[in-house]
Amino acid sequence: MTQKKKNGAIVAIIAMMFLFAMISFVTNMAAPFGTIWKQHYEWAGMMGNMMNFAAYLFMGIPAGMMITKIGYKKTALVALALGFVGIGVQYLSSTMDAEQLSTYLVYLLGAFICGFCVCILNTVVNPMLNLLGGGGNRGNQLLQTGGSLNSLAATLTPLLAGSMIGTITKDTSLSAVAPLLMIALAIFAASFVIIYFTKIQEPETESQNVMEGVKGAFQYRHLVLGVIAIFFYVGIEIGVPGQMLFYLSEPGGVLGSAAIAGTVAAIYWFLMLVGRFTSTFISGKVSTRAQIITVSTVAIALLLVAIFLPESKTFTLPGSEDNPVDLVLFKFTGGEIPVKCLFIVLCGLCTSVMWGGIFNLATEGLGKYTAAASGIFMTMVVGGGVMPLLQNLLATKVGDIQSYWLIIAMLAFILYYGLIGSKVHKEVGE
């Protein structure tokens, strides 16, 4: 590789990692915003998140088409422009009367437009980092590095949103987070300018018939199972901290404070940052499959502990009635955080490497079908809207903590994928 091409590749990698952070910044506003809207409409808690991810269902494959027609850079610019519009619409809703249903519908429209933005950015960032790394363990290493920046943005977003919202009441409205929306508008505008003037050495793309590309990609069994795994994974990533936000922030509940709940959720995203950062050092030595098997097993164990820990503040072991175990993690003025939340947030270490790992395994050996596979993957990210919504509905019937059985079931499939489903077999139908 010539020095010029090497420098171009480095610039491209930096630009893609910056966009990786933007994806998380937009996505992770939905859950804390949902704690506001749920006070006005009981069913509204996860609907903003659902609209954000529903866009993937419509834009996943077209986003892959855009890459083959206009290239990675121009596709990224389109995404950033859509993000600016989507945040602008959400800001508009913050200036309207929160008691009017039409205001919430305007907000949902903004969330849906932002969904198009993050879907396109995901379609650009993941295959480009994988290809720039040459695939294999090196490709996974770059994906995990970009994921570290993604997690940093994910950590800061609920922290900022929660501090602005404070204690939730019936009078709390989206106007409380209007400054965050203004910051988001400025970031999108600056990002557009930066990417526009950045010269990116793009990987070569092969123009192909969309349906032929999709059909060709689906001939690989490990991709088909990987698509299911990514659907479940995004539901896990969003559902684990999302439902905990409701568990801790609802008025009259465990805490009733969005600020503290946002801080606890931020710890989950921070642990994802730690996990991804650590993975950048070990991914060149430890196989992707081994990482997926390990983290899915550990996550299942952590959630089982969280579910079976008693809801009471103390737990007495048989024969130790005089020394009860304190099941409160932190005590402070205004509330107590149950120790079971510790086991839930620790799942962030496990989910941290799953996205890059599943994408890496599922696209292994696809060659010219990689772009089409990326579009398919982005379509299935709709799982981040569907599964948390189902978990939230399940929580209304069985309770917040018991709803994590759904998360365990999805983790079990990912464990299966790591053990068996990710092995590259002959093409489906042969």
Side-chain angles (χ1 to χ4, degrees), residues 79-89 114 117 184-186 188-189:
L80 291 171
L82 283 171
F84 186 87
V85 173
I87 294 295
V89 173
C114 281
C117 162
L185 285 171
F188 269 109

Side-chain angles (χ1 to χ4, degrees), residues 97-338:
D97 184 0
E99 297 301 324
Q100 298 295 319
L101 181 60
S102 58
T103 300
Y104 186 57
L105 295 178
V106 171
Y107 164 75
L108 291 180
L109 174 61
F112 189 61
I113 295 172
C114 281
F116 281 103
C117 162
V118 292
C119 174
I120 298 172
L121 287 180
N122 258 316
T123 311
V124 169
V125 169
N126 287 277
M128 192 164 185
L129 281 178
N130 199 39
L131 290 169
L132 288 169
N137 287 350
R138 172 60 177 164
N140 184 41
Q141 192 172 28
L142 284 183
L143 283 170
Q144 300 302 349
T145 304
S148 297
L149 293 178
N150 181 276
S151 293
L152 178 60
T155 301
L156 296 175
T157 303
L159 197 61
L160 288 171
S163 64
M164 291 178 180
I165 296 170
T167 301
I168 295 179
T169 68
K170 285 289 185 180
D171 296 324
T172 306
S173 70
L174 205 63
S175 60
V177 292
L180 182 61
L181 292 170
M182 290 297 292
I183 292 172
L185 285 171
I187 291 175
F188 269 109
S191 301
F192 186 93
V193 173
I194 291 170
I195 298 299
Y196 182 83
F197 287 104
T198 300
K199 186 175 182 180
I200 297 176
Q201 186 72 34
E202 302 194 16
E204 293 182 5
T205 57
E206 180 179 333
S207 181
Q208 56 187 242
N209 180 279
V210 177
M211 294 312 298
E212 287 182 1
V214 172
K215 183 179 179 181
F218 269 128
Q219 290 179 332
Y220 294 86
R221 186 177 291 108
H222 68 290
L223 171 69
V224 175
L225 295 176
V227 166
I228 299 172
I230 213 70
F231 178 88
F232 285 153
Y233 162 69
V234 187
I236 293 167
E237 181 191 280
I238 302 300
V240 168
Q243 196 58 47
M244 188 173 61
L245 270 173
F246 292 120
Y247 176 60
L248 295 175
S249 66
E250 290 179 347
V254 177
L255 290 175
S257 170
I260 299 172
T263 301
V264 177
I267 295 173
Y268 167 88
W269 294 109
F270 176 74
L271 290 177
M272 283 194 68
L273 167 62
V274 172
R276 285 172 170 172
F277 183 73
T278 303
S279 181
T280 62
F281 295 100
I282 68 173
S283 289
K285 300 177 181 179
V286 180
S287 73
T288 305
R289 182 172 290 108
Q291 291 184 52
I292 292 296
I293 293 171
T294 301
V295 297
S296 56
T297 301
V298 173
I300 290 172
L302 288 171
L303 290 180
L304 284 173
V305 172
I307 289 172
F308 285 109
L309 275 176
E311 291 284 352
S312 58
K313 296 180 181 180
T314 58
F315 175 63
T316 303
L317 295 171
S320 303
E321 286 75 9
D322 296 332
N323 296 294
V325 178
D326 190 352
L327 294 181
V328 175
L329 182 59
F330 293 114
K331 297 180 181 180
F332 49 89
T333 303
E336 300 171 331
I337 299 177

